[in-house]
Amino acid sequence: NVYVKLDKKNELEKNIDNMLYDSSDFYTTVSFKLFKSISKFYNNKIAEAIIILSEQIKYLTLKDFFHLEIELKLTLAFFYFKQEEYQYTDELIKIVLRKVNKTKYKNAIAFIQLLDLLINNPSKITKLKVKKLIQQFKSNNVGQNKILECIQPEIEILSLTY
C-alpha cells in the first residue's frame, strides 16, 4: 500500500517471482498470491491478476475462512469490473452478497452496492450516489472486518470518475 501511495506501483511486481515464502503455510500462500495479483493489477496486467485470483478461489476451500473468502472474491470482482467483464463481476457480487447479507460486513455490502450500481444501473449513476456508497464503505471498513485495503486508492478514484 505504501508503494501505491508513493506512486511506485511498478515496483510492486519487481522480483516477485524470486520471492521466497513458505508454500506449505495456507495463509502465507494465499497472502503471497493476493499480493502477486495486486502487483499485476497495478502494473496494468489485469488479465494476469484475474487468473491468479480465480485459481486461488477455484482450488482452495474457503468455507472456513469467511473473511479471506470475502477479500479474495471482492478483489476479483473489482478486477473483472476494471476489465469491463461485468457478467463475472455481477456473478461474484451476488455470491458474496448472499454470504454477507446478515453479517457485520456493512463495508462489503456497501462495496457490492457500489459495483452493482456501476454495472447494472448506469442510468441511475450520480456522483452523489457513488460518493455516498464509497463513504459508507470507508466508514464501515474498520477493525477486524476491514477489507480491500490494497485497492483502496482505486476505489477512491471511482468517486472522481463518475
Side-chain angles (χ1 to χ4, degrees):
N1 209 359
V2 172
Y3 282 106
V4 174
K5 288 180 181 174
L6 296 175
D7 201 26
K8 295 185 177 189
K9 295 180 236 179
N10 60 333
E11 292 182 30
L12 282 170
E13 195 177 8
K14 256 186 195 172
N15 302 317
I16 198 164
D17 292 325
N18 297 326
M19 289 179 84
L20 299 175
Y21 66 97
D22 183 0
S23 60
S24 63
D25 182 74
F26 178 81
Y27 283 109
T28 302
T29 301
V30 173
S31 296
F32 177 76
K33 298 284 185 167
L34 178 61
F35 173 76
K36 188 173 183 176
S37 72
I38 288 169
S39 68
K40 297 281 187 191
F41 172 79
Y42 278 116
N43 281 287
N44 296 315
K45 298 177 182 175
I46 302 174
E48 290 179 49
I50 287 171
I51 290 168
I52 293 167
L53 276 187
S54 59
E55 285 179 355
Q56 287 290 288
I57 292 167
K58 183 178 179 180
Y59 295 116
L60 294 176
T61 303
L62 296 168
K63 72 176 178 90
D64 295 329
F65 304 96
F66 188 70
H67 184 86
L68 195 54
E69 181 179 9
I70 293 167
E71 181 82 32
L72 293 175
K73 287 182 178 178
L74 287 182
T75 302
L76 181 58
F78 186 74
F79 289 174
Y80 279 131
F81 168 76
K82 295 297 280 187
Q83 194 76 348
E84 297 181 0
E85 295 184 36
Y86 301 136
Q87 178 185 350
Y88 295 122
T89 305
D90 195 46
E91 288 173 16
L92 276 168
I93 63 176
K94 285 178 180 170
I95 289 167
V96 176
L97 184 60
R98 281 193 296 271
K99 290 183 177 274
V100 299
N101 213 9
K102 294 180 181 174
T103 67
K104 294 181 181 181
Y105 281 89
K106 305 294 182 221
N107 51 347
I109 294 169
F111 185 72
I112 289 167
Q113 289 172 338
L114 173 65
L115 288 181
D116 183 60
L117 173 69
L118 297 176
I119 65 172
N120 291 322
N121 299 303
S123 64
K124 295 181 180 179
I125 295 174
T126 65
K127 199 168 196 68
L128 183 63
K129 282 184 183 180
V130 171
K131 283 188 177 203
K132 180 182 172 192
L133 287 170
I134 291 173
Q135 186 55 44
Q136 282 178 358
F137 168 75
K138 286 170 43 178
S139 65
N140 288 296
N141 201 32
V142 294
Q144 66 185 20
N145 294 342
K146 191 169 190 168
I147 56 171
L148 306 175
E149 191 171 6
C150 293
I151 59 170
Q152 188 93 28
E154 292 292 317
I155 296 168
E156 294 287 339
I157 289 170
L158 292 177
S159 67
L160 305 172
T161 308
Y162 292 92

